[in-house]
Amino acid sequence: MADSVPVRCPTCRRENAFTPPTFPCACGAPLTMPVLRGGVPVEILHRTWQASWVEVRCEVCGRQDEWPAPESGCACGTVVRVPVAPAPPLPPPNFPSPGTGRQPSRPVPPAATDDPPRAILRPAFRPVTIRTARDCVTAAEQYLKWLGYADVARTQERTASGVDLRGTGVVAQVDPTTRATELREIECVWLNGLNDSALAVFFSLAGYARDARARADELRLPLFVMDLTGTPQPVNDSADELIKYGADGR
């Protein structure tokens, strides 16, 4: 997971720890937002679509795309947009000097190994903008399908267990409330996954209580937090692994 960076609230001057979000690039590599250390966060007073996206280049494949701008909330209620480092310019092509007759150098392919990487290559995820609680479930459903759980679907009626989505090999719960997800909800969805011999996954709009996060790490249960653009962001190592390897790697 990415290292956290300090972000000072411009309203109350409290310094908060912020973990930059990580998204899956189209090449399959995890792309962590390059937060600008020492940058000045900007309070969000009015949201615009254009200001909610930033251009970031993948260090693995060189692809430059627009991604949701990282945001951080403070206990005082202030929400700020955290600045990211600008994408570095592409290096110039390695053309031969005039008259030398030398050809441009070609990259050397990596040496073959006995254990090749199993990262899944997939197209970029198309987010579902979140306006209602139902949109949260829709975004989680589409994200799980993007990860390889093609038959995942909503449960006909949400049971007391709180499971919202089921598919072959996966169960998921979505918490669209504005409070941090609690320990009991993590353990309930994990038990449902255990009962179905399936992977349990949790999506939360407001994040997780500290003990809930710690318990999920112990259970190796992938946690995601949703932003209003509808792009789930991994919260723990298990979520990073799920993004990297997809349904086939679990």
Side-chain angles (χ1 to χ4, degrees):
M1 291 196 51
D3 295 331
S4 62
V5 296
V7 174
R8 186 175 296 279
C9 175
T11 302
C12 68
R13 310 305 296 172
R14 180 187 286 110
E15 193 172 83
N16 302 296
F18 174 71
T19 302
T22 299
F23 302 101
C25 177
C27 71
L31 186 150
T32 300
M33 294 292 99
V35 172
L36 186 63
R37 289 184 177 272
V40 179
V42 179
E43 182 179 0
I44 300 175
L45 299 175
H46 176 68
R47 291 184 181 275
T48 63
W49 183 259
Q50 184 177 5
S52 298
W53 299 85
V54 292
E55 285 194 352
V56 176
R57 179 175 294 122
C58 175
E59 295 182 357
V60 176
C61 68
R63 180 189 181 100
Q64 183 167 319
D65 276 330
E66 289 190 336
W67 301 94
E71 299 178 2
S72 175
C74 181
C76 72
T78 301
V79 179
V80 298
R81 186 169 292 115
V82 183
V84 301
L90 290 172
N94 187 16
F95 291 114
S97 302
T100 62
R102 296 180 60 188
Q103 297 296 320
S105 60
R106 296 184 179 182
V108 178
T113 63
D114 294 334
D115 187 19
R118 296 179 296 144
I120 302 298
L121 298 180
R122 59 175 74 91
F125 174 67
R126 295 182 179 276
V128 177
T129 303
I130 293 176
R131 298 184 179 89
T132 65
R134 188 175 181 84
D135 291 336
C136 286
V137 180
T138 299
E141 178 183 356
Q142 295 303 316
Y143 195 74
L144 287 173
K145 289 181 177 179
W146 178 78
L147 289 173
Y149 297 99
D151 65 346
V152 69
R154 300 178 188 222
T155 55
Q156 292 297 322
E157 184 177 352
R158 196 181 198 209
T159 62
S161 65
V163 172
D164 292 291
L165 301 165
R166 290 185 185 274
T168 302
V170 68
V171 297
Q173 183 173 339
V174 182
D175 183 358
T177 66
T178 55
R179 59 169 178 77
T181 298
E182 298 177 351
L183 172 63
R184 181 180 180 277
E185 296 173 272
I186 297 297
E187 293 182 334
C188 282
V189 75
W190 177 77
L191 288 172
N192 273 277
L194 191 65
N195 186 58
D196 291 359
S197 298
L199 172 70
V201 184
F202 209 106
F203 298 86
S204 175
L205 187 63
Y208 301 88
R210 182 173 298 179
D211 56 351
R213 165 71 185 277
R215 185 61 171 151
D217 289 342
E218 293 174 1
L219 300 172
R220 296 187 59 79
L221 190 152
L223 299 181
F224 293 89
V225 65
M226 315 281 281
D227 60 26
L228 295 182
T229 66
T231 303
Q233 301 171 10
V235 173
N236 57 2
D237 291 339
S238 296
D240 286 330
E241 292 176 6
L242 182 57
I243 291 173
K244 186 174 183 181
Y245 301 121
D248 295 337
R250 300 299 299 187

